[in-house]
Amino acid sequence: MSAPRATPGTRKFLGRLSLPERTFVADALRTETVGGVLLLVAAITALIWANVPALHDSYETVREFHLGPGALGLNLSIEHWAADGLLAIFFFVAGIELKREMVAGDLRDPRAALLPVAAALCGMAVPALVYTLTNLMGGGSLAGWAVPTATDIAFALAVLAVIGTSLPSALRAFLLTLAVVDDLFAILIIAVFFTDGLNFAALGGAFAGLLVFWLLLRKGVRGWYVYVPLALVIWALMYNSGIHATIAGVAMGLMLRCTTHEGETRSPGEHIEHLVRPLSAGLAVPLFALFSAGVAVSGGALGEVFTRPETLGVVLGLVVGKVLGIFGGTWLTARFTRASLSEDLSWPDVFAVASLAGIGFTVSLLIGELAFEGERVLTDQVKAAVLTGSLIAALLSTVLLKVRNAKYRALYEAEERDEDLDGIPDIYEQDNPEYHLRMAEIYERKAAEHRRLAEVTGRASEGNDGPA
């Protein structure tokens, strides 16, 4: 399957990023990669804690321990606090990412945004369709259709870190944009499909709090001691309204300004994201995984994953649906628009990244809990299916990426090369006459050093030719 032939005016897909965009993506993904490794450790810890017989009871005791003010409707279990409280921080960062993408990133230009948005939408629709068809044919419940629609960027990056694959920045940026759009639609799914009854008084209070939050931002009021207490009040009101509390985090993230004014090196949104992202990736998400991923992994339980339609639908949705959706959506959009694939990459690279997007952990676990609320056994089985599907997707993507790793490493090294040591990769300076002058001076200096070394070596050889 070849890429569409480039024509005059054709836009490049997965081409080189601008230098500021490349810097932003590198910083964001560096934190997410560390967070992904912690997430992986937390998930493994949860599985060991929940499955070792001597430790199982303590895991359930800690997970079900309740704390919080009951008078405010917030006497919640530790597991509940992790899902509704800590993940609000994760979705706050997701809101800032989405806002930045819309005003300063790839989603700002509708033509440039078309490809990743189409890929993300197809990457959510096809897994949902795969799940639905599997359960219609098997007589299962359709309640979990949204479980395999989410991509976990942190877990995907952890896989990249573990297998040591140096993806070019364009592929990493594509994966990040996919995850951002994916998060947006996951938020909409949670808000629309997993809201039962509404408490309009609490909902009105939450909206009033958000209005105050927005007005304070508009007035330029500064100080965490103003915003953090207000954010907690908004979160508590949103929780009691019946809408999932993580929506409050998204709403506040979207309100932050993500464009720079004169005299600013970065926008307030980027500054706050830089501060909060480590808390989200390094603490909030791993703790959520610790108290959500502890499910039975006995042979019988794993066997049921492939025999029960609800769990089989989740596995097939993540492993098959995600790949077909993202790859198919990308190829069709490129095929029927004026977009062509970068000469440095090929469609197998898009397929490999699509398989990596089949790792759906954090949001998939959350939606699984919401979809089968009150059915503890089925909830745990669906969680086991999420873990199984994500593991299979990770193994598949590892094989596909390793096959192409030599090419990726060469592209990555070319992107990172900085022979004139000015802090800017050489590939971004190739059209700059001053750069070529500096490089000519560097090469001349190296050639002179080689000539001097050859002369010294030659004289030493002549001196050693005589009798001992």
Side-chain angles (χ1 to χ4, degrees):
M1 194 178 293
S2 60
R5 182 176 296 175
T7 58
T10 300
R11 290 178 293 104
K12 287 296 181 185
F13 167 53
L14 293 180
R16 189 195 312 162
L17 303 178
S18 67
L19 186 58
E21 187 70 10
R22 176 185 175 278
T23 303
F24 172 82
V25 168
D27 290 343
L29 294 185
R30 191 177 298 114
T31 304
E32 290 289 354
T33 301
V34 175
V37 173
L38 293 176
L39 177 62
L40 187 60
V41 171
I44 293 172
T45 301
L47 290 171
I48 295 173
W49 194 0
N51 285 277
V52 174
L55 302 175
H56 174 77
D57 289 343
S58 66
Y59 180 74
E60 290 299 326
T61 299
V62 172
R63 186 161 71 168
E64 297 301 325
F65 182 78
H66 280 62
L67 72 160
L72 299 178
L74 296 175
N75 184 27
L76 310 177
S77 67
I78 295 293
E79 181 182 15
H80 208 161
W81 275 112
D84 284 55
L86 291 176
L87 280 194
I89 301 173
F90 167 79
F91 278 106
F92 174 69
V93 174
I96 301 175
E97 286 179 336
L98 180 61
K99 177 69 173 287
R100 186 201 164 276
E101 287 289 329
M102 291 190 298
V103 301
D106 288 342
L107 303 183
R108 180 186 66 224
D109 179 1
R111 294 178 303 169
L114 180 61
L115 241 158
V117 169
L121 282 174
C122 293
M124 299 185 81
V126 176
L129 180 62
V130 169
Y131 177 94
T132 301
L133 291 176
T134 303
N135 281 270
L136 285 175
M137 291 187 294
S141 171
L142 299 181
W145 64 271
V147 176
T149 60
T151 293
D152 195 311
I153 181 68
F155 219 133
L157 292 171
V159 171
L160 291 178
V162 169
I163 66 176
T165 298
S166 302
L167 278 188
S169 59
L171 283 177
R172 289 176 178 261
F174 180 59
L175 185 60
L176 180 61
T177 305
L178 275 178
V180 170
V181 179
D182 196 288
D183 286 341
L184 168 64
F185 287 100
I187 291 158
L188 294 176
I189 287 171
I190 291 170
V192 174
F193 295 99
F194 298 105
T195 298
D196 295 326
L198 289 177
N199 180 331
F200 287 101
L203 184 59
F207 280 129
L210 288 170
L211 178 60
V212 172
F213 190 90
W214 180 76
L215 288 172
L216 291 173
L217 289 173
R218 291 278 292 180
K219 295 292 184 181
V221 176
R222 297 177 179 270
W224 64 267
Y225 46 83
V226 174
Y227 291 102
V228 171
L230 179 58
L232 292 174
V233 170
I234 294 170
W235 175 86
L237 288 167
M238 190 69 76
Y239 174 82
N240 282 288
S241 74
I243 296 178
H244 200 268
T246 53
I247 303 301
V250 178
M252 288 183 279
L254 287 171
M255 289 181 180
L256 295 176
R257 176 167 60 84
C258 291
T259 53
T260 55
H261 287 172
E262 188 176 352
E264 293 180 337
T265 55
R266 58 182 171 181
S267 67
E270 289 175 301
H271 175 67
I272 293 172
E273 181 188 18
H274 180 73
L275 295 176
V276 179
R277 186 186 286 275
L279 178 63
S280 169
L283 182 67
V285 174
L287 281 178
F288 167 76
L290 181 64
F291 295 112
S292 292
V295 295
V297 290
S298 63
L302 291 177
E304 289 180 0
V305 165
F306 297 99
T307 56
R308 182 159 187 163
E310 293 88 351
T311 51
L312 180 61
V314 170
V315 173
L316 292 177
L318 289 171
V319 177
V320 179
K322 272 289 183 183
V323 177
L324 293 180
I326 292 173
F327 180 80
T330 304
W331 186 83
L332 287 172
T333 306
R335 177 69 178 81
F336 294 105
T337 62
R338 298 176 66 83
S340 66
L341 196 62
S342 167
E343 294 86 351
D344 292 332
L345 299 169
S346 59
W347 286 108
D349 301 313
V350 180
F351 191 88
V353 171
S355 68
L356 190 65
I359 301 173
F361 189 74
T362 305
V363 180
S364 290
L365 291 178
L366 175 62
I367 294 177
E369 291 180 357
L370 297 174
F372 299 104
E373 191 173 6
E375 301 179 60
R376 188 71 192 190
V377 174
L378 184 53
T379 298
D380 282 351
Q381 290 175 336
V382 167
K383 287 182 179 181
V386 170
L387 294 172
T388 303
S390 296
L391 178 61
I392 295 172
L395 294 174
L396 174 63
S397 60
T398 296
V399 173
L400 294 174
L401 291 170
K402 276 295 187 182
V403 169
R404 310 280 291 175
N405 197 38
K407 181 175 184 177
Y408 295 153
R409 191 173 298 281
L411 290 173
Y412 180 79
E413 290 174 354
E415 288 180 358
E416 296 296 316
R417 187 175 297 117
D418 182 20
E419 293 192 11
D420 58 349
L421 302 176
D422 66 346
I424 300 175
D426 296 338
I427 200 168
Y428 288 93
E429 298 185 295
Q430 290 176 353
D431 296 329
N432 184 355
E434 293 182 3
Y435 164 77
H436 290 289
L437 182 60
R438 289 198 305 270
M439 292 306 299
E441 292 174 351
I442 290 172
Y443 289 141
E444 178 57 33
R445 191 162 56 247
K446 288 183 177 179
E449 290 174 357
H450 282 303
R451 286 195 297 270
R452 282 196 299 272
L453 180 61
E455 290 173 0
V456 170
T457 305
R459 284 197 297 269
S461 300
E462 292 173 3
N464 290 330
D465 284 342

